[in-house]
Amino acid sequence: MTSDNNRARTGVPIDASTDQTQPANNSDNASSNRSQTLYRKWRSQTFQELVGQDAITRTLQNAIASGRTGHAYLFCGPRGTGKTSTGRLLAKAVNCLDPDPKARPCDRCEACRSIAEARAMDLIEIDAASNRGIDEIRELRDKINFQPSFLKKKVYIIDEVHMMTEPAFNALLKTLEEPPPHAIFVLATTDPQDVPATVVSRCQRFDFQRISLDQIVGRLQYVCEQENIQADKAALELVARQATGSLRDALSLLDQLIVYSGGNITVEAVRLMLGVMNTEAVADFVDSLIAADMGRGLEQINRLVQAGTDLKRFNRELVEHLRHMMLIKVNPNGKETVDLTAEAYQRLREQAGQIELNTIVNFLKIFSAVDYNLKVSPYGQLPLEIALMESLLQPVVYAQVSAPAQRSYAEAARPAAPVSRPAPVPAQPEVAARKAEPVPIRPEEPKQAPEPVKVVAKESETVVVTDETGETVVLELATVAQAWPQALRSIEAQSKMTAALLREARPASVKGNRVALAFAYSFHRDKINQEATRRNVEDHFSRVIGQRIIIDCVDESGPAGGNSGAAPKAPQPDDRARKRADFFNARILD
């Protein structure tokens, strides 16, 4: 008995079927221990061994030490988080014979050992899923008045109590409210919302939390050490991630892996047996989204299909990855908001720093809607490919990074006198002028205020900007065409997709401060002509030119796509007003 007590104190389990009078090295005992599933063999035997429920453990220990235990408890929470194990610990603690209340359960006395070895008749465990009717509850109610046969108190653990019928709950109510002094009820459920409020109000409720990834990995490592199993930490992290917060599920998976791998658990063994994809595949795909590299993204999807990967599982892990990016973007220092290893968290932080929050949210909206289509679509990976294109055909907003300031062509002509955008001119009676939008000032632009300039409006196809020295800078087609490559480079630094669309265009004509971009394909024209995209192009172009530019997207074959150097047509009766309206980006009311 002494050796068994020592084993119990060190956390080494004792099989319920083992005869304690036999030698410890008996081969039958060893065979029985090996045949027992890990989650039963390594069930917590003391409060110190209970994983991930510190608040509940502390409350129950204080109640036991002070003698203020309740008559009914309701344990709620996800599967595999320790609800039934805690009920058994409570049963051991209230019946423990150790004279020190703070040391209960001691797991050494006869009362504790009888419960640990499943031979205590006064611990009654009931599965409400199969004993849910009123007849079973009436039988329980009739027998509860009998005194315990051996222990001090009878403890009833009713698992999945939400499965009981309404008449059964009604039959239990009075007994649950005023049980005999020797009886304690522990109700366990994964769906507390299905338990009647009248039952909940008669119990002390404890909500069990999902167990964190690090806590599950630590417990798996301890079990592997005790079982003399070689296991890579990365492999155990994969197992813990698949368990989604359930320690019982993690131990069950570990049990399968021990048999599959022959006692040497590697990352590759986990992937092959559980069908888990390479965790880097999701992160690499997100890198393609951040780089707006549609070709690389399609290649990655094709490789997943060729490898036989479950695309629904891949998409769910992708959505979870993007969700973690969103949480980290909102709270960069809040590691507790995501349950990840240190390495995975660091890579997520790096990816989140390369892209703006609104783009991450957009990716989440698109890919979270793909799951159903992947399930019902007869076209294989097509829904995932369409989601990739939808997410990249929209402008991608990148996080601002420091870059060398770019001087405009006007500034290059006169280094000492930077050119500002034209000052507004009073509107004519027949024109309702709109106030031109200011050019956004990037952090890297010069901070000194621009020198004052004078603007002279002319009825020609150009804009003349005159500074106080008398020098002029004329906005004409040649100047615009010369600045166009630099504008493209500026746009490409922010969005490769937008730059790719603009490479199919060319500045075709200049009219006032309006530049007509001629496109060979209507698809490219329509994409650039979207409000947000067009304004973004105008902002980049304006910074390069040195004054406010307005973009008109036209077809290559259209009238604006021709040579702007041709002589202007003869003025029409309202041509003067139209030119002024174009110059001020206004519309004619009358």
Side-chain angles (χ1 to χ4, degrees):
M1 181 68 71
T2 303
S3 62
D4 292 333
N5 291 341
N6 292 336
R7 291 169 61 203
R9 291 190 66 85
T10 56
V12 180
I14 301 175
D15 188 7
S17 63
T18 302
D19 185 356
Q20 299 302 307
T21 62
Q22 295 180 355
N25 60 354
N26 187 288
S27 61
D28 293 337
N29 292 342
S31 175
S32 177
N33 278 333
R34 285 197 300 269
S35 64
Q36 194 175 21
T37 57
L38 289 180
Y39 76 84
R40 291 185 58 202
K41 185 176 180 180
W42 294 98
R43 184 192 293 269
S44 303
Q45 299 300 328
T46 64
F47 282 119
Q48 288 73 22
E49 294 181 16
L50 192 63
V51 179
Q53 311 298 341
D54 296 339
I56 295 174
T57 298
R58 180 177 179 179
T59 303
L60 292 178
Q61 285 182 306
N62 289 341
I64 293 164
S66 61
R68 300 178 62 87
T69 55
H71 64 276
Y73 293 88
L74 178 62
F75 291 167
C76 315
R79 70 180 190 279
T81 52
K83 300 184 296 295
T84 307
S85 295
T86 305
R88 294 171 66 88
L89 289 176
L90 180 62
K92 292 171 71 174
V94 297
N95 289 290
C96 182
L97 302 177
D98 194 299
D100 183 6
K102 295 182 179 180
R104 299 172 184 170
C106 66
D107 203 33
R108 298 188 305 273
C109 66
E110 181 58 26
C112 290
R113 297 313 307 152
S114 65
I115 293 176
E117 296 162 11
R119 53 184 174 82
M121 298 180 62
D122 297 317
L123 173 62
I124 301 99
E125 296 190 44
I126 301 172
D127 178 18
S130 54
N131 299 278
R132 59 196 302 266
I134 190 172
D135 293 336
E136 290 85 354
I137 299 303
R138 283 174 177 169
E139 184 180 359
L140 181 153
R141 188 180 59 186
D142 294 338
K143 292 182 178 180
I144 196 173
N145 291 313
F146 293 118
Q147 291 291 326
S149 60
F150 172 71
L151 302 178
K152 293 186 294 185
K153 288 183 179 292
K154 277 187 176 181
V155 179
Y156 290 85
I157 300 177
I158 305 179
D159 199 13
E160 300 299 336
V161 70
H162 65 276
M163 300 290 289
M164 288 173 52
T165 62
E166 184 177 354
F169 273 122
N170 293 334
L172 182 64
L173 276 178
K174 189 63 177 177
T175 303
L176 192 64
E177 183 175 17
E178 297 179 1
H182 59 261
I184 293 177
F185 281 95
V186 176
L187 313 181
T189 177
T190 55
D191 296 309
Q193 68 275 5
D194 294 337
V195 180
T198 51
V199 172
V200 176
S201 65
R202 288 165 167 81
C203 302
Q204 293 186 24
R205 174 170 174 169
F206 291 88
D207 289 280
F208 286 67
Q209 307 298 320
R210 290 190 180 276
I211 305 174
S212 71
L213 187 71
D214 290 337
Q215 289 172 326
I216 293 179
V217 171
R219 185 62 175 174
L220 294 180
Q221 287 179 315
Y222 173 76
V223 171
C224 288
E225 290 172 1
Q226 299 299 315
E227 295 285 334
N228 294 321
I229 301 298
Q230 298 294 324
D232 297 339
K233 183 178 180 181
L236 297 182
E237 288 174 356
L238 277 179
V239 173
R241 190 173 292 110
Q242 292 299 306
T244 61
S246 169
L247 182 57
R248 184 176 64 231
D249 289 359
L251 289 171
S252 296
L253 292 175
L254 181 63
D255 222 347
Q256 298 178 52
L257 283 165
I258 292 173
V259 178
Y260 175 81
S261 64
N264 185 18
I265 302 175
T266 63
V267 173
E268 190 62 26
V270 177
R271 290 174 183 163
L272 290 175
M273 197 203 81
L274 302 182
V276 180
M277 70 196 68
N278 188 342
T279 53
E280 295 297 317
V282 174
D284 291 343
F285 188 80
V286 172
D287 283 338
S288 298
L289 291 177
I290 295 174
D293 193 336
M294 189 181 298
R296 189 173 73 179
L298 292 173
E299 290 175 359
Q300 289 170 324
I301 293 175
N302 185 63
R303 284 198 297 270
L304 292 173
V305 174
Q306 295 298 323
T309 303
D310 184 354
L311 293 183
K312 295 189 293 295
R313 173 176 285 183
F314 171 79
N315 187 69
R316 289 169 187 170
E317 293 194 14
L318 173 62
V319 170
E320 186 68 13
H321 188 97
L322 292 170
R323 172 181 168 269
H324 288 158
M325 284 179 61
M326 176 183 68
L327 297 177
I328 291 174
K329 190 69 178 178
V330 173
N331 186 11
N333 298 320
K335 188 179 186 301
E336 64 277 2
T337 60
V338 292
D339 190 11
L340 296 168
T341 60
E343 296 80 4
Y345 178 76
Q346 183 59 33
R347 181 161 188 185
L348 274 168
R349 282 197 65 176
E350 292 173 358
Q351 289 181 328
Q354 300 174 33
I355 198 168
E356 290 297 339
L357 178 62
N358 60 338
T359 304
I360 300 175
V361 173
N362 184 54
F363 288 162
L364 266 172
K365 289 179 180 178
I366 293 174
F367 285 100
S368 61
V370 175
D371 193 69
Y372 178 76
N373 291 334
L374 285 172
K375 182 179 180 180
V376 302
S377 174
Y379 303 110
Q381 70 265 31
L382 182 61
L384 191 59
E385 292 171 339
I386 291 176
L388 169 67
M389 295 183 182
E390 284 182 350
S391 60
L392 295 187
L393 286 176
Q394 301 182 19
V396 180
V397 181
Y398 292 88
Q400 288 190 355
V401 295
S402 58
Q406 295 182 352
R407 299 178 65 197
S408 69
Y409 276 79
E411 290 171 334
R414 298 179 318 282
V419 178
S420 68
R421 56 187 177 277
V425 178
Q428 299 298 325
E430 67 274 15
V431 179
R434 286 190 306 170
K435 184 178 181 180
E437 296 181 5
V439 180
I441 300 177
R442 297 174 61 87
E444 64 270 18
E445 290 184 352
K447 295 183 179 180
Q448 64 270 20
E451 298 181 11
V453 298
K454 301 176 182 178
V455 179
V456 180
K458 295 188 177 182
E459 296 181 12
S460 64
E461 295 293 324
T462 63
V463 175
V464 180
V465 182
T466 305
D467 64 11
E468 61 183 5
T469 65
E471 298 179 356
T472 61
V473 177
V474 180
L475 182 61
E476 55 187 11
L477 183 59
T479 304
V480 173
Q482 187 180 3
W484 180 240
Q486 183 176 337
L488 278 179
R489 288 193 295 271
S490 175
I491 294 169
E492 186 175 21
Q494 184 187 76
S495 173
K496 293 182 179 180
M497 179 60 66
T498 303
L501 295 172
L502 287 172
R503 293 191 192 283
E504 302 296 330
R506 65 177 181 84
S509 64
V510 177
K511 190 173 185 180
N513 68 331
R514 306 183 75 96
V515 175
L517 289 182
F519 289 82
Y521 304 101
S522 58
F523 173 82
H524 296 165
R525 179 204 63 198
D526 294 341
K527 285 295 180 183
I528 296 299
N529 206 30
Q530 293 177 359
E531 182 70 18
T533 306
R534 192 186 71 253
R535 288 185 178 276
N536 189 35
V537 174
E538 290 175 349
D539 291 342
H540 283 274
F541 210 176
S542 298
R543 282 195 292 268
V544 173
I545 293 295
Q547 66 182 71
R548 185 64 189 170
I549 297 296
I550 298 173
I551 297 295
D552 292 322
C553 299
V554 300
D555 288 328
E556 182 74 40
S557 58
N563 185 2
S564 64
K569 297 181 179 179
Q572 299 298 320
D574 61 341
D575 194 47
R576 184 186 184 93
R578 187 181 300 111
K579 288 180 179 292
R580 291 177 177 173
D582 289 341
F583 179 79
F584 290 108
N585 191 22
R587 61 188 179 90
I588 300 176
L589 297 178
D590 189 4

